[in-house]
Amino acid sequence: MPTPLDETKLERAILALLADRRELYPSQIIGALRRHDAGLPLHHARAVLERLIAERRVARLWHRYLLPRDVEEVRATWLAMIDRQAARLDADLATTGAADEARALLTGWDGWQLGR
């Protein structure tokens, strides 16, 4: 069981990492944290991330984590990608309007929930 100090160090390390890199998968976070400080209680990273999300200090888009300040930029990036790939998305998913549904979902994303 990590001490509150250990969790605080882990929290600070996660926030610092996200401040430097805008959008990260959990495995990227763990790998970077392991390289930064092998003594961090990385087995508690998920719990710390979930707490940071509940406190709205970290946002999430699918399986990527980011800081709330980056929500608008990440949304714009993903919407542009959907626009570029709209025809392929509709064809690959065999669903007319799949790209429109994805756009609507992202447009309603607030950093913590999709489609609100």
Side-chain angles (χ1 to χ4, degrees):
M1 182 64 102
T3 67
L5 180 59
D6 288 338
E7 283 203 356
T8 299
K9 285 175 56 176
L10 181 56
E11 175 185 303
R12 286 184 186 149
I14 289 169
L15 293 172
L17 181 60
L18 290 173
D20 287 339
R21 296 174 62 190
R22 184 179 36 177
E23 190 179 355
L24 293 170
Y25 286 99
S27 61
Q28 293 171 315
I29 292 172
I30 297 299
L33 292 173
R34 185 173 286 128
R35 286 187 299 277
H36 172 71
D37 183 350
L40 289 170
L42 298 178
H43 54 287
H44 290 279
R46 180 177 299 275
V48 170
L49 277 167
E50 290 300 321
R51 182 174 49 76
L52 290 169
I53 290 166
E55 294 170 356
R56 293 189 173 233
R57 296 170 60 205
V58 168
R60 176 175 44 205
L61 176 62
W62 293 297
H63 298 295
R64 294 168 184 85
Y65 295 90
L66 58 145
L67 294 178
R69 70 172 195 212
D70 296 322
V71 167
E72 292 305 320
E73 192 171 344
V74 167
R75 180 193 339 263
T77 299
W78 279 89
L79 288 170
M81 190 255 337
I82 290 169
D83 288 343
R84 285 191 308 275
Q85 302 290 329
R88 188 186 61 77
L89 287 170
D90 288 345
D92 287 353
L93 298 174
T95 304
T96 302
D100 291 335
E101 289 176 22
R103 272 189 216 94
L105 203 64
L106 275 171
T107 300
W109 171 59
D110 66 1
W112 295 271
Q113 296 178 349
L114 288 168
R116 292 290 168 170

